[in-house]
Amino acid sequence: MSALALLGGDPVRTALFPGYRVIGDDERAAVNRVMDTGILSQFIGGWHPDFFGGPEVQAFEAEWAAAYGCAHAVSVNSATSGLFAAMGAAGVGPGDEVIVSPYTMSASAVAPLVYNAVPVFADIDPLTYTLCPDSIRARITKRTRAIIVVHIFGQAADMDAIMAIAAEHGLVVIEDCAQVPFATRHGKPVGTLGHMGVFSLNYHKHIHTGEGGVVTTNDPNFAERVQMIRNHAENAVIGKGVTDLTNLIGFNYRLGEIEAAIGRCQLRRGPDLIRQRQDNVAYLEAGLAGLSGLTMPHVPNANTHVYYVHVMRYDAAVTGVTRETLVKAIAAELPATELREQDGALIRFGYVKPLYLLPLFQQQQGYGALQCPFKCPHYDGVPTYGQGLCPNTEEAHRTVITHELMRPPMSRADLDAVLAAFHKVWDHLDDLRRLDDAAAA
Ligand SMILES: *Cc1c(COP(=O)(O)O)cnc(C)c1O
């Protein structure tokens, strides 16, 4: 058997993996349909028949709501915008706290800051990496106004328990669904379980329009407020007859007609793209079974997992090889992916650093000389962002291995190369132990 590529041997494979392309002829035709009209956005930022956008935007929203079985789907130009709008719609403001996850893309934790509220980090469940209900409960104060639940990596948080806590305390629950389109919990679409769901249509997501997002809700008041915040609320309130102006300073979070037209195709394509990810993960997991120290993701019975990334736990005490060395050795066996050649093999140790360790939270500078909202005169809590705040998150950060090597259009032959790389590395653990020992000496 050849030596590890990390130690100068031949890699398992050098031909690039296929690039992530989920856009095809349907999308091209949809774009041309819009191009032919010459109207690339039909929004008007005031009370007018076009306040709700053009035909593609409105059709996309109706189709999304139908697919999700929810009353309202409001398109926005990113999930980040959607989260900000949801904070505004929920009435979050100065002096409030919003419970957030530390193990997510930063937008889901900084959204409260846009309305001058303080993010309070609860810890994650070590098995699903989603917010732990007991930890949420422990962080609730008289100032808590909302919870941003992140359904991370492809599956839902324990929404049953979280909605019960929210009902008890009168909290608004926003589901960050950027990583879980078409995932279900108890057979229901994730994103319709809380008060508002926020989806991303960014290029990296399961389905995409380049940039874009959708906010789902069954509450007509939240839907109206998100629509207002999306499109210059201040110009529309008189015409629309809206009298509660709380947080209704409008932004421009509008999605264009081209993106909406692409989104309609992607929505139809979604279930098939998800099935490919699930099939690929099942194949990989069968092939990885039995590798010492490696644990596959836990999927509670209530959930379907849609695998935004495939996250495994690695126990270095079992193999005697550090996670960093192990991942470097696997990566050295594998090629990069077309369109992302500069990123190397798409396997990493860790996901994101616990977000409370970002300079934003460590320095708590915030807005202006008063350092709002952290030290704002309206806020009578004490922001807490120290190392050790969320032990399960810090542990996950130290022990997970994540990869994207199950994304369409990876073929069985591509997946076999991935499996061969893992097995080759596990067959050479002795060499890697020696490498780690030499580095430690
Ligand atoms: C990608 C992502 C976002 C941000 O989505 P954009 O559409 O790029 O703004 C937010 N939350 C999570 C969990 C994400 O993965």
Side-chain angles (χ1 to χ4, degrees), residues 185-337:
R185 182 168 176 83
H186 300 301
K188 290 209 201 105
V190 178
T192 62
L193 310 171
H195 298 108
M196 284 175 267
V198 179
F199 293 82
S200 174
L201 297 168
N202 169 284
Y203 166 69
H204 300 284
K205 300 294 157 51
H206 304 66
I207 61 172
H208 77 88
T209 62
E211 302 285 355
V214 176
V215 180
T216 48
T217 183
N218 284 314
D219 183 316
N221 178 47
F222 287 146
E224 176 175 63
R225 290 174 61 80
V226 171
Q227 286 164 336
M228 300 291 278
I229 291 166
R230 164 178 74 175
N231 188 14
H232 306 289
E234 64 282 357
N235 287 331
V237 286
I238 293 176
K240 204 165 187 314
V242 173
T243 51
D244 175 6
L245 303 189
T246 313
N247 289 0
L248 289 188
I249 297 168
F251 294 82
N252 177 351
Y253 292 159
R254 306 176 311 207
L255 192 67
E257 286 287 282
I258 289 178
E259 289 80 4
I262 296 172
R264 296 174 69 188
C265 303
Q266 289 279 289
L267 184 62
R268 286 194 291 275
R269 205 187 277 277
D272 178 55
L273 290 168
I274 300 298
R275 213 159 18 242
Q276 290 183 50
R277 286 179 188 251
Q278 291 168 332
D279 289 350
N280 290 349
V281 165
Y283 187 76
L284 287 175
E285 291 194 352
L288 295 172
L291 292 183
S292 56
L294 199 61
T295 307
M296 298 301 129
H298 171 74
V299 185
N301 283 334
N303 285 355
T304 57
H305 202 307
V306 297
Y307 301 107
Y308 176 62
V309 287
H310 188 224
V311 177
M312 299 171 287
R313 265 315 162 121
Y314 175 65
D315 185 349
V318 173
T319 58
V321 175
T322 62
R323 179 182 60 154
E324 288 69 8
T325 299
L326 183 106
V327 169
K328 266 188 217 150
I330 299 168
E333 300 296 336
L334 292 172
T337 298

Side-chain angles (χ1 to χ4, degrees), residues 113-138:
L113 294 171
V114 175
Y115 287 89
N116 243 309
V118 172
V120 171
F121 291 94
D123 205 356
I124 59 170
D125 174 280
L127 288 176
T128 63
Y129 310 101
T130 57
L131 277 180
C132 166
D134 289 337
S135 182
I136 291 176
R137 200 181 276 287

Side-chain angles (χ1 to χ4, degrees), residues 78-80 83 104-105 108 150 152 176 178-179 200-202 205 212:
S78 71
T80 301
L83 289 163
T104 175
M105 194 263 163
S108 20
V150 184
I152 201 76
D176 180 337
Q179 301 189 4
S200 174
L201 297 168
N202 169 284
K205 300 294 157 51

